[in-house]
Amino acid sequence: MAGSPTQYPQTSDASVSRRAVLVPAALLVAALGLVALYWLSLRPGFPLDPAPFDLNAERNIPALFSAALWLGASALALVCMRRSRAEGWPLGIYWPLMAVLFLYLGLDEATMIHERVGVLINRLHAFEGAFLYAWVVAGLVFLAVAG
């Protein structure tokens, strides 16, 4: 069934570009470097303040790195959207949704949106148990609306 909308185009191993290997490898090295810096910063005598490398904190180098990864994923989803439309691939409609989701996650990681929403919700009502983190309530409302 050549030309069928459910058939995906075949690619050969030769079509994989060098960048497709180098970019993820560079990102992996950067992530491992951040983990190493955090680990070293916990050791006595480390010359730098450990706060910028804390993997459990917000508004620091690892959080910005994570935000950049999400924003990059959003950009790649847009590239996939363009290719899926050009090639007539089925289910291509989901790429813009993924791009928007990844964009939100990147912005949230960089600007702490869900923490701020949680503070606003906590002012209205103090939640306990599974809803201790009030942003979960906003997330559930979003999921109910988004379907």
Side-chain angles (χ1 to χ4, degrees):
M1 286 185 155
S4 171
T6 59
Q7 186 177 8
Y8 292 96
Q10 300 296 316
T11 59
S12 68
D13 290 338
S15 70
V16 177
S17 73
R18 208 171 142 183
R19 267 186 278 180
V21 174
L22 292 178
V23 170
L27 292 172
L28 179 63
V29 168
L32 292 173
L34 285 172
V35 171
L37 277 172
Y38 176 63
W39 182 76
L40 289 171
S41 71
L42 298 176
R43 303 291 174 252
F46 186 72
L48 300 175
D49 179 22
F53 308 108
D54 187 353
L55 299 175
N56 294 319
E58 302 284 341
R59 297 170 123 181
N60 60 12
I61 295 169
L64 289 176
F65 179 75
S66 178
L69 289 178
W70 282 118
L71 295 174
S74 177
L76 287 175
L78 290 175
V79 169
C80 290
M81 175 194 72
R82 287 189 59 168
R83 175 116 189 236
S84 68
R85 285 184 179 168
E87 300 286 336
W89 292 347
L91 305 177
I93 191 167
Y94 295 109
W95 288 115
L97 300 173
M98 295 298 289
V100 170
L101 175 66
F102 294 155
L103 176 66
Y104 168 76
L105 291 171
L107 293 174
D108 178 57
E109 188 69 29
T111 61
M112 301 180 351
I113 295 169
H114 73 272
E115 285 90 347
R116 294 171 193 223
V117 168
V119 168
L120 293 174
I121 292 173
N122 273 333
R123 287 183 185 164
L124 299 174
H125 185 278
F127 290 95
E128 298 175 353
F131 302 106
L132 178 62
Y133 299 105
W135 60 265
V136 172
V137 174
L140 290 174
V141 169
F142 172 78
L143 287 176
V145 171

